[in-house]
Every structure is written in structure tokens, then in C-alpha cells.
Amino acid sequence: MAAVWQQVLAVDARYNAYRTPTFPQFRTQYIRRRSQLLRENAKAGHPPALRRQYLRLRGQLLGQRYGPLSEPGSARAYSNSIVRSSRTTLDRMEDFEDDPRALGARGHRRSVSRGSYQLQAQMNRAVYEDRPPGSVVPTSAAEASRAMAGDTSLSENYAFAGMYHVFDQHVDEAVPRVRFANDDRHRLACCSLDGSISLCQLVPAPPTVLRVLRGHTRGVSDFAWSLSNDILVSTSLDATMRIWASEDGRCIREIPDPDSAELLCCTFQPVNNNLTVVGNAKHNVHVMNISTGKLTKAKRLVVHEGSPVTSISARSWVSREARDPSLLINACLNKLLLYRVVDNEGTLQLKRSFPIEQSSHPVRSIFCPLMSFRQGACVVTGSEDMCVHFFDVERAAKAAVNKLQGHSAPVLDVSFNCDESLLASSDASGMVIVWRREQK
């Protein structure tokens, strides 16, 4: 019944925007203390009926005190943030000190080479051909991964203990994208429609904003880390792309869109980080060489006529036992769509969909980074219902695994750090919440 206490915190968070409008620090301390108290009460073993009654009465009392809540999509819900301080640590830091055994020479977790993944994929494919459709491939690597996860369920693996930290340096402007650095536990960045990008660090305590990148004249719609994290690329509604040095925040290059259109999204080409793929508001996709600034137009793809595609995530596998490349797509259809890539020509086949609320906002979703270490496979998405949703893509019924509540505006993006100990989510009011996973 810990979910009931999370619902109570969500109610408090939504009403928190109306408390003491001239003293944002008080609201920060209030929601921090409420989070601590509710976690303590969750361990007390109160009867489920009593918890539900408390939730109902709490909502009624807050409604009488502050009036009805604004609709999630209203201007008031957008302009109010439930927490204002970007310097408040909500939980202890000890659980996130680096484990020297898991770190490489640069302080990042060691990663498996691309060649190793290709070899393992070939081995899995060979075994898969001799097994009935839909059956699990019993590779030794899969068994080792399952042992590392303790053979626990997805619900247990993706249970969260509460808020770890709140950043709100972009308050009152939407934060459409938040991303942890590659193979990094404690460094993340977020971009805002105020035209800037923040680089943040969670350890050592207290979490801080290292630097703010400024230069775009309109809102920043998307950004991406290079594989080595030394370069960031950003796209903006000012119809330009910028290349940044993450170490000192310098703008290395500014490249205008050849169509003079608003740029909406970008990503690095995974094999060659000199190439970046960008999409604009005129439905065109360009491949850009960041060293020369040269752009090349690519194909135009239509997922659903009349519905803008707001997020695409690609994986060469869904779980270690599954061989098919997959795409995870948000497209303003009130659904999260999972496609299989069925041939070398890139033909897509809809595998399944998951219900979320998305009709107008640029909501994004992700594959969980360590799904190969789990029995099953999980995806995470934002939603216009102000929640973060977890779904098991292999579960035929009741695919919902978890739901995090605490935002006061539509959740636009989600991002895991490399070992899944932290999850960051951003919303349309400018708030970024970092959630801490329960330690088993």
C-alpha cells in the first residue's frame, strides 16, 4: 500500500503551488517534510482501508482550503511549480557514493564493446532459430544477467523510495528534455523553453547546477550527449542547431536549418558521433556532420497521419532473450507504441500499445537501460496526467509496473542513469525531479 502514500504526496504536491506564493522556500521545505513523513508512515503497517480514508479526507480538506485544482493543461497549472528551490536534497547521499569496483579509469562505469554485443546477438539468433516462436532463448549471458538481478520481478526492480532531489532553475518554462550523461550515475542536463541548457551534478553533496549554456534566442527543444560526454548538440525553435563543449560551456558551432524551420529533435548517430540526426517542423529529417556543418536530407516517415511524433527510442533488442530491433514511439494518440523492425529494409510492425494520456504535449519515453539484466523488459514514459508510468512490454495483461506521482504539470521526459539507481523526470512547469530507487 505504499502507492496510497505516494498518491497522498501527489495531492500535496499539486496543492503546494497555492501555498505562500511569496515564500517559495517554505513550499520546498513543506513538500520535503511531507515526503519524509509519508515514507515513515508507509512502514508503520496501517490498515489499507485507513490509508484510503486518509487520502480521501486529505483531498477534501485541501479542496476546501484552496479551492478546486486547475486542469493539468491550464495556464495556471503550467505557471506554478510545486517546489522552487533547486538546492534541496530530499534524501541521503550515502547510497550513491561510487563503487570503485564498478568504475573505469575516468570514473564512469565500464561498458561492453559494440563487437561483443554483435557477437552475442549472433549467438542468440542461432539458438533462437531452433526454438518455438515466443520462447525464451536460454543463453549463458541471459542466465548470468538474471542471477545479477536476483531473479526478482520488474515491480520489485522498479520500486522507488521517493524524491531524491528537485531542480527548478527553469521554473515557469517547460523542460522538454532531461538526460543523464552516458555511463554516468550523477551527471545530468536539461533544456528549457527559456532558451538555455543546464548541466547538473548530484555528487558530491549538495547537488548543484554546474553551468548554464546560453545562446539560443528561443526555446531549446532537444539536446543530446556525445558518446564520450564531451560534446552536446542542441536544437531550438530559433531554427538553429548548436554544438557545445560540456567542460566549459563554449558554443563550438552554430548551424542554421536549411528550411529555416523550427528544429524539434536531435540525436547523435551511435556509430559515428561526427554525424547528428535532426528533425524540423516541416516534417524533414537531416543528417548533419558536426565537424563540417554539412546537412543532408533523409527520408520523411509518417507513423500516423495528423498526429505529431514527439519521441522515438530505438533498441537493437528488447531483452537479451529477444532478437528483434524495436522502436518506442509517442505520437499524441493517448498511447505509447512499441514497434518491431521486421526486416533489413526497416519495415515496422506494431507489437503492442500502452494507455497513457497524451493528446497535445511533446511527451517522451525510454527503454530501461538495464533491461537485459531483468526477467522481462520495461519501458518508462511521461504522461499528461502528471505521472511517470512504467510498463512491462512482455506482460500480456496488466502491463503497468509502477506509477510515480509528484509533478504538478504534464510530465514531458524521463531519463535513467546508467545503473538505474536514479530516474529523472521533467515537466511543463519547469521542474525536474530526481527519484531514488529502493535499495534491495
Side-chain angles (χ1 to χ4, degrees), residues 339-354:
Y339 286 88
R340 294 172 57 240
V341 182
V342 297
D343 58 32
N344 292 333
E345 301 300 321
T347 304
L348 299 180
Q349 180 184 76
L350 182 64
K351 181 177 181 179
R352 66 178 307 177
S353 62
F354 309 94

Side-chain angles (χ1 to χ4, degrees), residues 133-319:
S135 62
V136 173
V137 179
T139 64
S140 58
E143 295 299 329
S145 297
R146 187 171 295 115
M148 291 175 65
D151 209 24
T152 52
S153 68
L154 284 182
S155 298
E156 292 172 317
N157 278 305
Y158 295 111
F160 281 75
M163 298 180 187
Y164 171 62
H165 187 77
V166 175
F167 290 101
D168 73 336
Q169 62 270 19
H170 300 293
V171 67
D172 295 334
E173 290 285 355
V175 174
R177 177 64 100 177
V178 58
R179 285 184 170 183
F180 277 94
N182 296 305
D183 293 330
D184 201 300
R185 299 175 69 192
H186 303 126
R187 187 163 44 141
L188 74 157
C190 58
C191 65
S192 170
L193 295 187
D194 65 11
S196 65
I197 304 169
S198 295
L199 304 184
C200 308
Q201 183 171 285
L202 300 178
V203 170
T208 57
V209 178
L210 295 176
R211 60 186 56 87
V212 179
L213 312 183
R214 304 184 188 276
H216 285 293
T217 58
R218 293 183 61 193
V220 180
S221 55
D222 196 6
F223 75 95
W225 294 90
S226 67
L227 189 60
S228 58
N229 297 323
D230 56 341
I231 297 292
L232 285 91
V233 60
S234 63
T235 53
S236 171
L237 304 182
D238 64 8
T240 68
M241 169 187 288
R242 285 178 178 259
I243 312 299
W244 310 85
S246 61
E247 184 175 356
D248 55 14
R250 289 181 299 110
C251 180
I252 300 172
R253 187 183 298 272
E254 179 183 5
I255 303 171
D257 181 68
D259 299 325
S260 299
E262 296 176 343
L263 291 177
L264 305 180
C265 55
C266 62
T267 188
F268 277 97
Q269 210 268 15
V271 178
N272 182 0
N273 268 199
N274 281 326
L275 299 179
T276 307
V277 183
V278 297
N280 67 21
K282 292 186 178 180
H283 311 292
N284 291 324
V285 176
H286 304 282
V287 179
M288 187 270 291
N289 189 309
I290 65 173
S291 61
T292 64
K294 184 178 180 180
L295 286 155
T296 304
K297 185 178 292 187
K299 289 183 179 180
R300 175 185 176 183
L301 303 175
V302 178
V303 174
H304 189 278
E305 192 67 42
S307 297
V309 174
T310 63
S311 175
I312 301 177
S313 298
R315 269 291 169 86
S316 59
W317 36 260
V318 172
S319 63

Side-chain angles (χ1 to χ4, degrees), residues 9-26:
L9 179 62
V11 171
D12 285 329
R14 293 181 66 186
Y15 277 105
N16 204 37
Y18 304 111
R19 295 186 178 95
T20 58
T22 57
F23 296 99
Q25 292 80 7
F26 171 81

Side-chain angles (χ1 to χ4, degrees), residues 328-399:
L328 189 64
I329 295 178
N330 295 82
C332 291
L333 297 170
N334 287 317
K335 295 178 182 178
L336 175 64
L337 307 174
L338 180 66
Y339 286 88
R340 294 172 57 240
V341 182
V342 297
D343 58 32
N344 292 333
E345 301 300 321
T347 304
L348 299 180
Q349 180 184 76
L350 182 64
K351 181 177 181 179
R352 66 178 307 177
S353 62
F354 309 94
I356 63 170
E357 291 187 22
Q358 185 194 5
S359 59
S360 59
H361 288 78
V363 172
R364 302 179 190 268
S365 57
I366 57 170
F367 290 97
C368 291
L370 295 186
M371 65 176 68
S372 62
F373 291 172
R374 303 289 182 250
Q375 189 164 13
C378 194
V379 296
V380 186
T381 180
S383 178
E384 291 177 7
D385 63 0
M386 300 179 287
C387 298
V388 177
H389 294 269
F390 296 71
F391 295 105
D392 183 352
V393 301
E394 302 295 343
R395 189 183 299 176
K398 297 182 179 180

